[in-house]
Amino acid sequence: MTRSTRWLSGLTMAFALGMTGCGDSPDTADMTDEELAAAREPTTWRFALEEVDGSVQDAYAQEFKRRIAEASDGDINVEVYPYGSLGTSSQITELLQNGAIELGFASAGHLGDIIPEVGAFTLHFLLSEDEEVNRQVLADERLHSLLSGPFSDEDLHLLSMVQEGWMVWSGNKELRSPEDFKDFRIRTMTSPILVESYKAYGANPTPTPYSEVYSGLQLGQIDGQVNPIFAIEEMSFYEEQDVLTSARHEQFIAAVVAGHGWYNRLPQEQRDMVDQVRDDMVEWIDKEQIRYNEERLQRILDAGGTEYVELTEAERDVFREASRDVRNIYLEDTGDVGQEILDLIAALIEEYEG
Ligand code: 6CS
């Protein structure tokens, strides 16, 4: 889709959303202070999710809403739109670019399509095995300032990078080696780096929107998929799969994003409020995602019929080796900036691992 057709499709959605976000303003000229206060409607910021109610993204958005309402004395209402109400991940990103919504999630596995630099966060065996280290790396200002240019080139403003849990492979067999992946039809998100990553294991990757994964499994159009455990549970993927294999090869990472123009036009005090709430939520959401993933794994195991397998270090090493050349593909797409991002991530991991 070109920029202009993207704009048009975003505009159509914007009308559906009621772009002004407010009705006819009352005539305020003759009002007393009390009347003015009563007539004052809260400002609405629309926050779109790529996940359904009860997900990690929903937990983030609901808490963000609560904290913004508190910090603004009720003047700002964040309206949360769960997955399904505004379209696919790419459509949500278009709405943010067009200014039809103010805030949203954009996972690296989809955003890598339009911001190749973000593909780094879909590379296998790149981050630390320690989630606390990853959380610090992802919140580091040095990383954010490297990424801010590629985001603003696409009319987006990066607020936060959130890890949502280890990606787990689901299938009807254990996936313990690249041989097990031979011709395995695995659904991936749309990022080219993800597609290359699974080709490197010998698999047959099939990028599709999130909403089509369950039917794809049910109809046998795909053999498996990859997602964090909380998502495998809440989207019922486990019902169609016998085995979950954990290689701790990749964290699911999503960006919390604002429209670039909108963010920059905010009054300074509101921008500071957003940044403060964002900073204060880094630890909170990480604890939540860990809890969500642990509880949902238990739910899957309690339901019966799905086995959970963790790869040994030796098995992980084989995948680590097989994934190495994909970094060159990432660098071909991103050049010096990509190299800087990879170098910085490696340096930050070393720094925070201590
Ligand atoms: O697999 C996907 O496409 C999706 N997975 C998660 C956990 N969140 C949103 C994303 O679009």
Side-chain angles (χ1 to χ4, degrees):
M1 203 185 261
T2 63
R3 265 197 182 241
S4 58
T5 51
R6 278 203 322 222
W7 188 83
L8 277 173
S9 81
L11 191 67
T12 314
M13 290 268 206
F15 280 119
L17 283 164
M19 193 142 178
T20 59
C22 53
D24 289 340
S25 308
D27 186 354
T28 53
D30 301 323
M31 284 186 178
T32 64
D33 285 352
E34 287 75 20
E35 284 168 336
L36 273 174
R40 194 181 65 191
E41 288 200 11
T43 301
T44 299
W45 294 350
R46 288 156 292 201
F47 193 150
L49 311 183
E50 305 172 287
E51 293 170 6
V52 296
D53 282 344
S55 60
V56 170
Q57 292 187 3
D58 184 45
Y60 187 99
Q62 299 298 346
E63 184 64 13
F64 183 87
K65 173 187 173 83
R66 194 188 67 70
R67 292 184 189 216
I68 290 288
E70 192 175 279
S72 67
D73 284 332
D75 281 352
I76 299 169
N77 173 39
V78 176
E79 216 163 77
V80 180
Y81 290 84
Y83 189 63
S85 45
L86 295 183
T88 62
S89 293
S90 343
Q91 287 167 328
I92 289 170
T93 303
E94 283 172 27
L95 291 173
L96 282 161
Q97 290 173 304
N98 299 330
I101 55 174
E102 289 74 31
L103 297 152
F105 265 99
S107 47
H110 293 293
L111 198 55
D113 295 355
I114 59 162
I115 308 181
E117 290 81 358
V118 170
F121 302 97
T122 59
L123 286 168
H124 293 186
F125 300 99
L126 180 81
L127 290 179
S128 170
E129 282 171 44
D130 183 336
E131 287 185 290
E132 200 174 319
V133 169
N134 291 337
R135 184 184 78 217
Q136 290 170 296
V137 170
L138 294 170
D140 194 281
E141 267 178 27
R142 289 163 284 181
L143 184 62
H144 281 235
S145 78
L146 256 187
L147 291 168
S148 66
F151 272 76
S152 61
D153 288 346
E154 283 297 329
D155 301 328
L156 299 170
H157 175 81
L158 172 64
L159 286 171
S160 205
M161 301 284 279
V162 176
Q163 59 183 349
E164 298 191 21
W166 293 110
M167 294 291 253
V168 167
W169 299 319
S170 74
N172 285 331
K173 60 176 185 179
E174 295 182 358
L175 294 160
R176 287 190 170 273
S177 68
E179 286 73 54
D180 295 330
F181 268 110
K182 195 166 168 3
D183 299 327
F184 186 81
R185 292 168 305 165
I186 187 164
R187 178 272 173 178
T188 64
M189 289 177 279
T190 50
S191 156
I193 295 297
L194 282 174
V195 172
E196 293 303 330
S197 300
Y198 286 96
K199 279 190 187 159
Y201 297 158
N204 182 2
T206 312
T208 42
Y210 198 32
S211 52
E212 291 170 21
V213 181
Y214 185 81
S215 60
L217 292 170
Q218 204 176 33
L219 298 171
Q221 292 160 334
I222 46 175
D223 301 314
Q225 62 82 50
V226 49
N227 254 307
I229 289 169
F230 83 85
I232 294 174
E233 193 274 336
E234 74 189 3
M235 298 299 280
S236 304
F237 301 155
Y238 72 98
E239 289 175 3
E240 300 296 324
Q241 306 267 261
D242 297 337
V243 187
L244 306 183
T245 304
S246 170
R248 295 197 320 287
H249 62 289
E250 184 195 348
Q251 269 286 333
F252 181 93
I253 294 174
V256 181
V257 176
H260 188 253
W262 173 77
Y263 178 83
N264 283 300
R265 283 192 302 274
L266 279 180
Q268 185 62 47
E269 74 190 54
Q270 290 187 7
R271 229 182 301 161
D272 292 345
M273 183 198 304
V274 169
D275 290 354
Q276 188 63 52
V277 168
R278 179 267 318 266
D279 291 347
D280 292 348
M281 282 185 63
V282 169
E283 251 187 87
W284 182 88
I285 190 59
D286 204 41
K287 290 199 175 117
E288 283 298 281
Q289 68 85 4
I290 290 170
R291 184 171 70 81
Y292 271 50
N293 283 299
E294 283 172 359
E295 287 179 6
R296 307 283 175 95
L297 175 60
Q298 200 49 56
R299 255 189 236 173
I300 293 174
L301 296 177
D302 289 348
T306 314
E307 198 190 331
Y308 178 68
V309 172
E310 285 182 351
L311 296 196
T312 64
E313 288 307 314
E315 287 168 330
R316 295 180 68 228
D317 283 346
V318 177
F319 283 109
R320 183 181 285 113
E321 202 43 49
S323 71
R324 222 172 273 286
D325 285 349
V326 182
R327 292 189 193 189
N328 296 331
I329 300 175
Y330 171 73
L331 291 174
E332 277 164 26
D333 290 348
T334 55
D336 291 347
V337 181
Q339 186 66 62
E340 261 186 278
I341 291 170
L342 294 191
D343 291 346
L344 180 63
I345 291 174
L348 292 173
I349 291 173
E350 210 178 307
E351 184 178 319
Y352 289 117
E353 280 182 343

